[in-house]
Amino acid sequence: MKYFVSACLLGENCKWNGGNNYDSCLSSLLFDQEVSLICPEVEGGLSTPRCPIEIKDGRALDKEGNDYTSCFLNGAERILAKAKSENPDAFILQPRSPSCGLGNIYDGTFSGKLIKGNGFLCQILIENGYKVYTPDDFKSLNI
């Protein structure tokens, strides 16, 4: 099977704060699979580290109100194009992220509060018929 996986989940330091969200269990499950690491925020031209960004009223904004929506959309479109050419079986994406969040994202107040919604990349992938999982959802599949 071929998976596109949020790069931070497998140890790449591309998170907003320069760190990662390494998931050793996920890494073990993907040991013998074909994996492509993706980071839509870096693909969209954002640096690492960077100011935290959340979605508010459909826009990707930092705490000062600077709008990075075009970077998020550009990164999502670039990964969608890659997916169309490489045809992965599924995506495994970082939860709560303004790019990759599935089902719940931060509410745009930078308070840690979650609301229902999807990140920019996640939404585009769903609209294009791709299977999208959080690491926990993927682990529960027992693949």
Side-chain angles (χ1 to χ4, degrees):
M1 304 274 297
K2 182 174 190 168
Y3 299 100
F4 279 18
V5 180
S6 291
C8 62
L9 292 171
L10 295 180
E12 191 168 304
N13 292 327
C14 57
K15 230 175 108 164
W16 69 271
N17 63 3
N20 64 67
N21 295 311
Y22 182 70
D23 186 320
S24 60
C25 181
L26 180 64
S27 181
S28 295
L29 286 172
L30 295 171
F31 165 71
D32 59 350
Q33 304 297 318
E34 186 178 350
V35 173
S36 288
L37 300 181
I38 58 167
C39 179
E41 294 170 21
V42 171
E43 279 289 325
L46 296 175
S47 63
T48 302
R50 56 191 167 273
C51 290
I53 298 169
E54 294 184 4
I55 298 174
K56 183 167 181 136
D57 299 324
R59 309 296 298 170
L61 306 173
D62 69 12
K63 284 185 177 184
E64 287 77 41
N66 297 306
D67 192 333
Y68 293 93
T69 305
S70 62
C71 295
F72 278 70
L73 290 172
N74 182 42
E77 290 295 336
R78 290 179 69 154
I79 289 173
L80 177 62
K82 184 177 178 183
K84 287 180 177 180
S85 72
E86 296 185 28
N87 200 28
D89 295 292
F91 285 76
I92 306 167
L93 301 178
Q94 169 60 33
R96 301 172 301 279
S97 157
S99 290
C100 298
L102 172 62
N104 292 296
I105 55 172
Y106 292 111
D107 72 349
T109 64
F110 300 90
S111 64
K113 182 179 176 192
L114 294 173
I115 58 172
K116 290 189 183 296
N118 296 321
F120 286 95
L121 172 64
C122 183
Q123 188 62 43
I124 286 173
L125 294 173
I126 290 169
E127 289 171 1
N128 281 272
Y130 289 96
K131 293 179 188 172
V132 179
Y133 301 102
T134 66
D136 287 343
D137 292 339
F138 183 76
K139 292 172 201 172
S140 70
L141 295 174
N142 295 318
I143 294 178

